Amino acid sequence: MQASVVLGFLFIAVIAGAAIAYAVGAAAILTFIVSDNTRYMAVLPQRLFSQLDVFAFLAMPLFILAGDLMNRGGLAKALIDFSMSLVGRLKGGLGHVNILTSVFFAGVSGSAVSDAAALGNSLVPEMEKRGYSRDYAAAITGASSIIGPIIPPSSILIFYGALMDTSIAALFAAGIVPGLLLAGVLMAMNAFYAWRDDHPGGRDAELPAVLPSALKALPALLLPVIILGGTLFGIMTPAEAAGVAVMAALLIGIGYGQLGWREVGESLHRTGVLLGALFIILCAISTFSYLAALMQWPQAIAATIDGWGLGPLQYLMLINVIFLLAGMVMDVKAAVALFAPIFVPVALAMGIDPVHLGIVICFNITIGLLSPPLGGVLLILATVVKMDYWRLIRVTLPFFLVELCVLIVLTFVPEISLALPKALGLR
């Protein structure tokens, strides 16, 4: 009865256009009242504070700020030029450049939407000039932007690790191979399209020289190495690494001559707005999680799953379906915060590795950014490249299906995610 009240109210509120934070929070409070549990609301402020008072959360705003500073600081052009110098001369070279730049960008922003916006502004027009269709240029840009949140440092991995008390260093290590695997698969797909549709390669005279472009991109390339090395080998906590990232972003942006007081102020303002929105969502979903614990919903789910006779792999596939559907209509972090506390404890009780589970969930929910009806990458790309939204959905569908196949492989072969954390002694 109480679950149906929550779901019914949530559905009506979301359909009516209410923000997800207000819809979830209002549904939870209504259920407290309907289920005669208002006496527990007295400790709700303390509960909310304890949920947010997590040291690892400190890394998230700093990484968001660092990524925004780097995007404003001229790193995009340096990374694109370096990628052009490496793979631009290959057949379908600009498609490979698009993917490789997203790999490098992963250490800069860690945000699929930011990567899609940056590359949509710069690479899509350039690809059109070189003979690629706008459809293909937009599709490969959207598909490659999914790499960013998987290869660390990644705000979604930090968010999941802090929320579910999972080692962020282990999650960082576990994200490297899946992210590179996705990049390799997309490059193979781009090579096939280049052969089938006769996409051009770059002419040597048009390509940047390798050494000068490498030197210019070196600060941006070294930063992720410093952050990851410091985090994985225990030299820095994720929060300290994020602080180093902010200082480095400032110095690099000033060195490139792209950052001034105005840009820094705009970056701080945008980070504050994003964090305000994020922590409102966290407060609302913490209320919902408290309610779920009181109503014993995780135990009810565990009993239902036990009755179905699902094993660990079958349950992982069920989680994939749930999070994929959530990612299609919700903000990435909101979906993780809402559903992870309910479904993750059951998975852990089944003996599923928490790091492998974290990578599967974060990879899954990130793919939702490329899926209708509310995929964030699709929405931003349609705006940036001035393309019909539904047409963009159609042309990105083959890439979306391939990324789903990569997700299934990661689900069934946990060693892809766990090999590096084990080699580094993090598991």
Side-chain angles (χ1 to χ4, degrees), residues 92-106:
L94 276 181
H96 292 311
V97 168
N98 204 317
I99 296 163
L100 192 60
T101 304
S102 288
V103 173
F104 293 147
F105 249 68

Side-chain angles (χ1 to χ4, degrees), residues 69-248:
L69 287 169
M70 288 188 172
N71 281 334
R72 297 174 192 272
L75 271 75
K77 186 176 186 311
L79 292 173
I80 290 171
D81 285 348
F82 180 54
S83 300
M84 282 283 289
S85 72
L86 294 178
V87 295
R89 58 182 46 83
L90 301 176
K91 192 171 182 63
L94 276 181
H96 292 311
V97 168
N98 204 317
I99 296 163
L100 192 60
T101 304
S102 288
V103 173
F104 293 147
F105 249 68
V108 174
S109 71
S111 163
V113 174
S114 296
D115 291 1
L119 298 182
N121 270 322
S122 51
L123 271 180
V124 171
E126 190 64 28
M127 291 179 76
E128 281 192 273
K129 285 182 195 173
R130 303 291 180 91
Y132 295 80
S133 69
R134 180 177 298 190
D135 288 359
Y136 185 78
I140 193 73
T141 300
S144 66
S145 68
I146 302 303
I147 297 169
I150 305 304
I151 297 179
S154 161
S155 61
I156 185 64
L157 293 180
I158 294 170
F159 183 80
Y160 178 89
L163 190 69
M164 301 311 301
D165 195 25
T166 303
S167 166
I168 293 173
L171 287 170
F172 275 8
I176 295 172
V177 175
L180 295 177
L181 173 64
L182 177 58
V185 169
L186 290 177
M187 281 190 160
M189 199 172 177
N190 178 65
F192 167 75
Y193 278 114
W195 167 77
R196 191 192 72 175
D197 300 331
D198 196 27
H199 289 161
R203 293 183 288 273
D204 285 346
E206 301 172 335
L207 299 175
V210 175
L211 186 58
S213 60
L215 289 174
K216 189 166 185 181
L218 188 61
L221 296 172
L222 282 179
L223 181 58
V225 175
I226 294 169
I227 292 171
L228 286 178
T231 304
L232 299 182
F233 293 104
I235 300 169
M236 296 181 283
T237 66
E240 290 166 346
V244 170
V246 170
M247 290 303 301

Side-chain angles (χ1 to χ4, degrees), residues 61 64-73 250 258-275:
I64 291 172
L65 177 59
D68 195 81
L69 287 169
M70 288 188 172
N71 281 334
R72 297 174 192 272
L250 281 169
Q258 300 292 318
L259 274 185
W261 287 112
R262 180 167 169 266
E263 288 77 19
V264 172
E266 289 173 350
S267 197
L268 287 167
H269 178 265
R270 182 175 182 272
T271 301
V273 170
L274 287 175
L275 286 176

